[in-house]
Amino acid sequence: MIYMFLANGFEEIEALCPLDLLRRAGLQVTTVGIGGDMLCGSHGITVAADIPEGLYKDAAPDMLIFPGGMPGAKHLDESRVVDTALKAAARHGSYLAAICAAPMILGHRGLLDGKEAICFPGFEGHLTGATLSQKRVVRDGNIITAAGMGVALEFGLELVATLKGREAAEDLRRAVLAD
């Protein structure tokens, strides 16, 4: 199963663009509301999460996704549910994806050690153990990180490529006229 964690103050495009692309690709993604099931993004757009944090129980997810935005990424970083999910994902070898400020969540937990990663400028100090990338979106093993809202489409397509293959991602890119 694929889970996207949302908290008040999330960056709407960083969440909704990849979510839309993953679902267009036929993948089942469940959004998890940290702090409630109705969440307000950093630009005042309210989104209903599929499930509240109390219903999250998956001990072996295929992928966890963390959009950035502030203070959304900070709320995710402080969440015990996110912490539990990341520990389970690390044990299982799940894919971990984070964009903008959210890679700090992975860095704070030592999950970027020895990995190439990118984040929004100014958050590099939180990427503990990572080699900073110059790429806009980077995948290193099971870790996928992206620089920010301007690369949300590329980030989403990389998630699709990771889960369904490069050809499926390129077909989707053409289908949404991103070529």
Side-chain angles (χ1 to χ4, degrees):
M1 186 59 130
I2 304 162
Y3 295 94
M4 177 180 283
F5 291 82
L6 303 173
N8 284 316
F10 70 96
E11 170 55 58
E12 294 93 338
I13 298 301
E14 295 170 2
L16 299 179
C17 181
L19 176 62
D20 179 272
L21 290 168
L22 289 162
R23 288 184 176 173
R24 283 177 192 253
L27 294 162
Q28 183 179 353
V29 182
T30 300
T31 56
V32 181
I34 301 299
D37 56 356
M38 294 298 290
L39 301 146
C40 186
S42 59
H43 298 95
I45 300 171
T46 300
V47 174
D50 296 320
I51 62 172
E53 63 188 298
L55 294 182
Y56 178 81
K57 303 286 186 231
D58 198 335
D62 296 309
M63 179 181 277
L64 303 180
I65 306 165
F66 303 97
M70 288 304 254
K74 182 178 181 295
H75 294 316
L76 294 176
D77 194 34
E78 295 169 345
S79 167
R80 288 181 25 207
V81 171
V82 166
D83 203 42
T84 298
L86 282 167
K87 287 176 183 171
R91 283 192 305 273
H92 185 66
S94 306
Y95 291 108
L96 302 174
I99 183 170
C100 192
M104 75 176 184
I105 298 164
L106 307 179
H108 289 164
R109 288 160 178 81
L111 298 170
L112 297 178
D113 287 346
K115 301 284 187 177
E116 183 180 5
I118 190 66
C119 62
F120 191 79
F123 286 86
E124 297 89 351
H126 297 280
L127 304 188
T128 307
T131 299
L132 294 177
S133 178
Q134 297 304 307
K135 299 174 188 170
R136 294 161 42 110
V137 177
V138 61
R139 177 178 169 202
D140 188 344
N142 68 322
I143 305 289
I144 303 142
T145 55
M149 189 271 284
V151 299
L153 181 74
E154 292 173 54
F155 178 64
L157 289 169
E158 185 61 33
L159 301 183
V160 171
T162 298
L163 296 168
K164 292 199 75 171
R166 189 69 53 200
E167 186 176 333
E170 290 306 315
D171 288 346
L172 183 56
R173 178 188 302 276
R174 285 187 293 279
V176 299
L177 304 176
D179 267 348

